[in-house]
Amino acid sequence: MNLALVPQLKHTNSNNFFLLSGPCAIEGEDMAMRIAEHIVEVTNKLKIPYIFKGSFKKANRSRIDSFTGIGDEKALKILKKVSENFEVPTITDIHEISDAQLAAEYVDVLQIPAFLVRQTDLVVAAAETGKVVNLKKGQFMSPESMKHAVTKVTDNDNEQVLITERGTMFGYQDMIVDFRGVPTMKQYAPVVLDVTHSLQQPNQSSGVTGGRPALIGTMAKAGIAAGVDGLFMETHFDPANAKSDGANMLDLSLLENLLTQLVELRAVVNTF
């Protein structure tokens, strides 16, 4: 994938990893703008290519009473406004075939959730929009099997595809990342490590997913050392009160220090 082809993506010649980051879900315009402004300031300072992430709806919640969104078009218009105001590309996940064309009118990258990455019609619909497609590796899939998911995109005349590692189920309530999969999947497409979702503890009896955010730095550093092309990190200025995935998000105030360390580590890795 040629990152330079992603609209508005800056610093593509910096030899840094690229970053997909933002809140789990779009909760409103003010929160999205506040988070985007902070991340854009930090990534410009560190010359990190940056894509703002926010889900326009959450269709894969554990409980029926969980927050799912503020309205599809309302959230998508906020994503569009973030892109226009801060001159950065945006990414959102889609869950149904009809979502592909709708979301493509507002964002630059379409993300296929891990639970849905084997849904051929959904992947093809995303590919046919001509947008960049980010395929999240299923928690139940091997690195080798992601070759076929990538082929579903490229066989539809779209070479703009990413693979995101987000951990494999380890028992019922934990995730583990097998970093041996990074070089395997890099044979098929650029590889992103989803740092925060890899630290989830799903299927809790309460119906609310847990997480281990204290390990975000450790996981991110391991990903850079393993040679990932990009990092995915969800962040919020008040994770404890976020409406989705707060248990495994990075506190926004900690982002700059962590990214500074990761840029320094990447510079070392680039010397090998």
Side-chain angles (χ1 to χ4, degrees):
M1 174 186 158
N2 183 358
L3 283 175
L5 296 178
V6 181
Q8 299 181 310
L9 191 62
K10 302 173 185 176
H11 312 302
T12 54
N13 296 320
S14 66
N15 290 321
N16 265 331
F17 55 89
F18 59 94
L19 179 69
L20 290 72
S21 187
C24 179
I26 299 298
E27 301 170 10
E29 183 174 321
D30 289 344
M31 65 84 69
M33 292 295 174
R34 178 177 172 183
I35 293 171
E37 182 177 25
H38 184 85
I39 304 176
V40 167
E41 180 180 347
V42 172
T43 52
N44 280 341
K45 178 179 177 181
L46 297 174
K47 294 184 170 52
I48 299 171
Y50 171 56
I51 300 172
F52 178 83
K53 184 270 168 185
S55 296
F56 77 96
K57 68 177 176 181
K58 299 299 296 182
N60 52 345
R61 305 307 306 277
S62 297
R63 290 170 29 172
I64 197 168
D65 60 347
S66 296
F67 173 80
T68 57
I70 59 173
D72 293 358
E73 290 212 48
K74 183 177 180 180
L76 286 167
K77 287 178 180 178
I78 291 172
L79 285 164
K80 184 72 171 178
K81 189 170 183 178
V82 166
S83 180
E84 293 172 345
N85 281 20
F86 298 106
E87 298 183 333
V88 293
T90 54
I91 178 173
T92 199
D93 29 9
I94 62 173
H95 301 84
E96 302 175 28
I97 295 170
S98 59
D99 289 344
Q101 197 58 53
L102 173 65
E105 297 178 15
Y106 297 92
V107 302
D108 305 288
V109 185
L110 299 178
Q111 180 167 283
I112 307 298
F115 286 125
L116 299 176
V117 75
R118 288 190 61 179
Q119 297 297 106
T120 299
D121 289 348
L122 180 63
V123 175
V124 169
E128 288 178 341
T129 66
K131 298 289 185 174
V132 178
V133 179
N134 183 31
L135 302 168
K136 298 195 98 175
K137 182 175 78 65
Q139 300 92 324
F140 45 85
M141 292 176 67
S142 69
E144 291 80 6
S145 64
M146 287 303 294
K147 176 181 180 179
H148 306 296
V150 170
T151 301
K152 291 176 184 179
V153 178
T154 57
D155 277 2
N156 281 279
D157 299 320
N158 188 340
E159 298 294 325
Q160 295 289 91
V161 58
L162 302 167
I163 300 173
T164 293
E165 167 65 60
R166 54 95 69 238
T168 300
M169 287 302 298
F170 187 69
Y172 288 117
Q173 295 178 325
D174 209 355
M175 309 293 297
I176 191 167
V177 173
D178 182 355
F179 287 98
R180 296 175 300 176
V182 172
T184 297
M185 293 188 292
K186 285 183 71 168
Q187 298 175 68
Y188 318 136
V191 173
V192 178
L193 174 62
D194 183 342
V195 177
T196 46
H197 286 104
S198 294
L199 294 168
Q200 278 186 334
Q201 294 179 313
N203 302 321
Q204 301 295 312
S205 59
S206 65
V208 178
T209 297
R212 303 184 68 185
L215 294 176
I216 287 173
T218 300
M219 184 67 71
K221 291 170 187 174
I224 294 297
V228 298
D229 301 287
L231 294 175
F232 180 111
M233 282 189 280
E234 289 185 340
T235 184
H236 197 287
F237 50 79
D238 187 9
N241 291 301
K243 294 184 178 181
S244 178
D245 277 2
N248 55 267
M249 276 200 277
L250 179 70
D251 190 301
L252 189 64
S253 65
L254 303 176
L255 183 68
E256 182 171 359
N257 182 58
L258 176 57
L259 290 179
T260 299
Q261 294 177 39
L262 295 174
V263 167
E264 292 174 357
L265 179 58
R266 174 61 178 250
V268 174
V269 170
N270 285 344
T271 64
F272 290 101

